[in-house]
Amino acid sequence: MNRTMTLIRYLCPSALAALWLALAPPAAAQGAAPASGGSRITAVKLYPGSATVQRTLRLAAGARQALFACLPPGLDATSLQLSADAGVRVGELALRQQPRELLGPACASALDERIRTLEDRIAALAAETGGIDIATGYLKNFGAGGEPGRGTPAGQIGATAQALQQGGQTALLRRHQLARQQEQLERELKPLLAERDRASRGDQPVSTVQVTLWAPQGGELRLSYQVRGPGWQPAYRASLDSASRQLRLERLAQVAQSSGEDWSEVPLTLSTGQPGAATQGPLPRPWRIGIEPPPAAGEARQRLAAAPAPVPVAAAAKAPEAEPSFDVSVFQGSFATEFVLPQRVSVPSSGERITLTLGEQVLDTRLRVRTTPALDAHAYLIASFTTPAGVWPAGPLHLVRDGAFVGSARFDAASASRDGLAFGRDELVGVRVERPEQQQGTGGFIGSRHQRIDSRRYVIDNRHREPIVLELLDSAPVGEHADVRIESRYQPAPQTERWNEQKGVVAWEQSLAAGASQSFSAEHVISWPSDARLRERR
């Protein structure tokens, strides 16, 4: 410290300032961004394809006007609703649209604030680096060409040189640290700039709502409006524990929006309602039946000539960029179900999908192994359960069996309750198909009918160390004409010939012991008139 102070006594004031800037620790440069005034989003109710947003504005005592600025350009003007605290009288409102840049920082989004903060930090580091360059430049020239170093007493030359060396090392090390910090900040800034360019916020207009009112005591004013485009889609994760035969069914929600305003730390409610759907179904019209008059000569030709030519694909207008797509038709509930999230949620206006957890239920299941040998010589593990009460909209499903991901499917509550959920192949159950050739010939009176015998035989091997419940499905012919006669014989007899109320779908279900094998056979005798051709549809 004494050597450094000895050196400082010989430096001019400008050099002293530069050296102090180089050696001083960095300032606490990143102050918090100023809080934005105006209204704030206090609630969002999200539907499949739209959202209802509520903003709240604090009114000063004696206020006669209020302005909700920076609202989405695509809000539904007919959906605007105002409410206020007691004592606040609300008058008319006016909705306007204007360029975003005219409102300046008032309409800056969270993304813009992050970009501005990073740019300020990079500029501060660049300024500190410039100060270090000035200081090190002076230190390099110290004592040369008439500089104060010439007057240094002989006894202090060594101490002065050592102080210069230490000061230069400290400055250069600090410059390296600043360069690394600047590189890191520029890496963080690059994707944010790309996202801002993609969103093109600058050229989008914004909506403003001006309200005439009288608030002698002040209070709060709330504005709600609907926006088309945002939406959520249900998703599910089913995790099966085959040992305990329990299924953990998790509700998930995929949320996305590009309305033009970021939802930052907002209370979010998800609803299965559809405000944009028709409020009433079509009504019947009279059913009139008559005789079509014969067309005049050449009328059909004129109609053909007047038909417009199809528009070439290349000539079609370029479609605008699509909003986040959600399949709203999957919501089949008679009444809407709402999910109120306990935590506040941030959803950027960039179309990015956010996955939220809505809860989970643990269900008891009945496990069985299902196979359809005629179509697929593999066996699959099926878990049957009772769907819990409530509305369960259809959505994508991720399947996990004993901690391992087995695939994806689509969850539909009705089909899941009827058919169960499939959790992938059971490799320890062997399926063999032994199908003899079809036998075809004539029979009946004087060979007046054709006859065909269709035989099938399946063998199932259980290689598990414990018994399984086996379900084998097969199709059986169903006559669609009175002259087609079908006789079916099975060994063993199936439990039903109308599986899930489908005529012609045969099902065997039985327990199969560990290491055991079981064969199933079906024989169908089909006959039809010799002068007719048989038509088959499968």
Side-chain angles (χ1 to χ4, degrees):
M1 181 67 183
N2 293 336
R3 294 178 178 178
T4 304
M5 294 304 297
T6 302
L7 171 61
I8 289 176
R9 284 200 298 268
Y10 290 95
L11 296 180
C12 64
S14 60
L16 179 62
L19 184 60
W20 180 259
L21 177 64
L23 301 180
Q30 296 80 38
S36 58
S39 62
R40 69 187 189 281
I41 298 179
T42 51
V44 174
K45 181 175 288 189
L46 190 59
Y47 303 94
S50 66
T52 299
V53 181
Q54 182 188 78
R55 281 184 171 269
T56 301
L57 184 65
R58 187 67 188 175
L59 303 174
R64 292 184 175 272
Q65 278 193 343
L67 183 67
F68 291 88
C70 311
L71 305 183
L75 65 84
D76 185 359
T78 62
S79 67
L80 293 174
Q81 292 186 3
L82 288 169
S83 63
D85 291 346
V88 178
R89 299 176 57 186
V90 179
E92 69 275 8
L93 61 84
L95 173 64
R96 301 183 181 88
Q97 284 197 347
Q98 57 190 132
R100 181 183 293 269
E101 58 266 16
L102 292 183
L103 297 178
C107 285
S109 66
L111 178 63
D112 296 328
E113 292 294 337
R114 290 175 61 190
I115 291 176
R116 187 178 295 108
T117 300
L118 287 176
E119 289 175 340
D120 290 345
R121 293 174 62 184
I122 292 174
L125 293 178
E128 187 176 351
T129 302
I132 290 176
D133 291 340
I134 294 174
T136 54
Y138 182 86
L139 292 177
K140 289 179 181 179
N141 297 324
F142 182 77
E147 291 293 330
R150 282 192 171 186
T152 303
Q156 297 181 358
I157 291 177
T160 301
Q162 187 175 0
L164 285 171
Q165 180 182 1
Q166 291 179 350
Q169 288 177 347
T170 302
L172 293 175
L173 179 60
R174 178 59 185 161
R175 193 184 192 286
H176 175 74
Q177 294 172 349
L178 293 175
R180 288 298 178 87
Q181 294 178 20
Q182 187 170 348
E183 290 176 1
Q184 177 63 30
L185 293 178
E186 289 175 348
R187 282 196 296 267
E188 296 178 14
L189 180 62
K190 186 176 181 179
L192 299 182
L193 293 174
E195 175 60 27
R196 185 177 65 179
D197 293 341
R198 191 198 67 81
S200 301
R201 296 178 180 272
D203 56 358
Q204 288 184 353
V206 293
S207 300
T208 58
V209 174
Q210 184 172 338
V211 185
T212 302
L213 49 81
W214 169 233
Q217 304 298 326
E220 286 189 346
L221 179 65
R222 292 169 290 277
L223 172 71
S224 66
Y225 51 88
Q226 274 205 331
V227 185
R228 302 294 180 188
W232 74 281
Q233 174 179 326
Y236 303 92
R237 182 184 294 111
S239 302
L240 175 66
D241 185 343
S242 60
S244 64
R245 299 176 181 252
Q246 287 191 327
L247 176 70
R248 188 174 76 251
L249 185 60
E250 299 177 72
R251 282 182 182 261
L252 306 174
Q254 295 177 343
V255 177
Q257 63 101 4
S258 56
S259 62
E261 62 179 351
D262 292 324
W263 300 343
S264 301
E265 298 294 323
V266 300
L268 186 62
T269 300
L270 305 179
S271 174
T272 60
Q274 299 182 58
T279 58
Q280 172 179 291
L283 299 178
R285 295 183 296 175
W287 185 357
R288 305 182 187 278
I289 300 177
I291 301 298
E292 182 74 23
E299 182 178 348
R301 189 175 303 169
Q302 292 177 1
R303 290 180 181 175
L304 181 62
V311 179
V313 176
K318 184 179 179 181
E321 184 178 356
E323 297 284 350
S325 175
F326 296 95
D327 184 10
V328 299
S329 63
V330 300
F331 297 96
Q332 303 293 342
S334 300
F335 302 94
T337 298
E338 294 185 352
F339 303 95
V340 180
L341 274 67
Q343 76 277 16
R344 293 178 176 265
V345 179
S346 294
V347 185
S349 179
S350 60
E352 176 187 356
R353 292 200 175 193
I354 308 297
T355 301
L356 306 173
T357 301
L358 303 182
E360 65 177 42
Q361 297 201 24
V362 178
L363 309 173
D364 293 326
T365 65
R366 184 174 70 92
L367 298 183
R368 63 188 185 277
V369 177
R370 177 185 295 161
T371 181
T372 309
L375 301 178
D376 184 1
H378 295 93
Y380 297 86
L381 181 64
I382 307 297
S384 299
F385 58 93
T386 301
T387 304
V391 178
W392 293 80
L397 172 67
H398 297 282
L399 297 164
V400 179
R401 182 183 67 193
D402 297 329
F405 177 72
V406 295
S408 299
R410 186 165 182 81
F411 178 78
D412 180 85
S415 62
S417 297
R418 183 185 65 245
D419 303 333
L421 289 180
F423 283 87
R425 291 181 182 178
D426 189 336
E427 303 294 348
L428 294 180
V429 175
V431 179
R432 288 178 288 156
V433 180
E434 300 176 357
R435 183 171 180 176
E437 294 184 2
Q438 295 178 352
Q439 303 172 16
Q440 186 167 329
T442 59
F445 295 98
I446 320 176
S448 61
R449 297 182 67 83
H450 287 293
Q451 178 176 289
R452 191 180 79 193
I453 300 176
D454 190 297
S455 300
R456 307 176 184 183
R457 185 171 184 268
Y458 311 118
V459 179
I460 311 300
D461 302 317
N462 178 17
R463 304 189 189 104
H464 284 278
R465 296 180 179 179
E466 63 275 347
I468 62 172
V469 176
L470 174 67
E471 182 182 57
L472 189 148
L473 304 180
D474 196 19
S475 59
V478 177
E480 294 182 332
H481 195 277
D483 287 336
V484 177
R485 302 170 187 170
I486 300 172
E487 180 183 356
S488 298
R489 294 185 288 268
Y490 302 100
Q491 183 63 36
Q495 272 66 38
T496 178
E497 297 183 30
R498 296 178 62 94
W499 183 76
N500 282 348
E501 301 302 322
Q502 299 180 70
K503 187 177 181 180
V505 179
V506 182
W508 289 268
E509 184 171 334
Q510 68 177 60
S511 177
L512 191 58
S517 296
Q518 175 70 51
S519 62
F520 302 85
S521 63
E523 184 179 82
H524 308 289
V525 181
I526 306 169
S527 67
W528 66 97
S530 59
D531 58 350
R533 295 182 61 185
L534 198 64
R535 182 185 66 178
E536 296 186 62
R537 293 180 299 172
R538 301 195 185 190

